[in-house]
Amino acid sequence: MKNIILIGAQGAGKGTYAQILKNDLNIPHISTGDMFREAIKAETPVGIEAKNYIDQGQLVPDTVTIKLVDERLARDDCKDGFMLDGFPRTLAQAEALDKITDITHVIILDVREDVVLQRLGGRIQCRNCGFIFHKTNLPPKVEGVCDKCSGELYTREDDQPEAIKKRLAIFYEQSGPLVDFYDKKGIVHHADANNPVPREVADDILKLIRTE
Ligand code: ADP
Ligand code: ZN
């Protein structure tokens, strides 16, 4: 069983590595950010409740988030394991998760602040399909236009430099107690996410998971 948590600052590349690893490990990638965005699009009760918090760059209340994850982990595709991305983010969420299931590996993605600022600062997203490009690392063929669907590309409000610093500050503040919680269980591993080649970081994570 591989019940994995990925912890890393915004821009560390959690989603990118999880997308690669879900094929290697054959377990689902569960991103609370993606789940909230889908719920908002579908205008479900959870989506309606979460929208205001997310638009303001705040965390969604723990009760809402924990219920969402609890229901997702109960689904059949999680029986051999899962990769959680973006959850838990608070100590209360980690304690709640502890009652739902046993976590086997916590992977901390170490990344320098200047690397994060460069990655997030250049991020541009399609308004229509949500695909993420990067001004220098993954530029679209035509400036301002999505390669996949011809939708309009824009910079997220929370990817402006000041907003990035605020989100990072929240992450650093919340992640300390979270890491301590899992450190005590002896299941924490570190991967170097400064490496600009996602496949190589994903391979480092695979090694950490498979040596046990
Ligand atoms: P980022 O990590 O870049 O902020 P995500 O896609 O992971 O982006 O999350 C987007 C938003 O969804 C967060 O800013 C927050 O409002 C909400 N969210 C996601 N995961 C959680 C969580 N575990 N607890 C509370 N809110 C969350
Ligand atoms: Zn698009």
Side-chain angles (χ1 to χ4, degrees), residues 125-131 133 145-153:
Q125 192 160 7
C126 176
R127 244 185 235 292
N128 180 46
C129 74
F131 193 87
F133 295 87
V145 181
C146 178
D147 291 358
K148 315 262 163 196
C149 77
S150 301
E152 181 203 351
L153 302 180

Side-chain angles (χ1 to χ4, degrees), residues 91-157:
L91 191 56
Q93 291 179 6
E95 284 164 349
L97 181 62
D98 216 35
K99 298 201 177 88
I100 297 171
T101 187
D102 287 327
I103 297 303
T104 57
H105 301 79
V106 175
I107 310 292
I108 315 276
L109 298 159
D110 294 320
V111 62
R112 292 196 314 272
E113 188 167 5
D114 61 300
V115 173
V116 164
L117 292 176
Q118 196 272 344
R119 285 184 192 162
L120 293 181
R123 186 156 79 170
I124 32 182
Q125 192 160 7
C126 176
R127 244 185 235 292
N128 180 46
C129 74
F131 193 87
I132 294 170
F133 295 87
H134 190 279
K135 284 176 191 158
T136 49
N137 303 354
L138 184 66
K141 291 200 188 82
V142 179
E143 200 187 315
V145 181
C146 178
D147 291 358
K148 315 262 163 196
C149 77
S150 301
E152 181 203 351
L153 302 180
Y154 76 111
T155 300
R156 271 167 51 174
E157 199 56 49

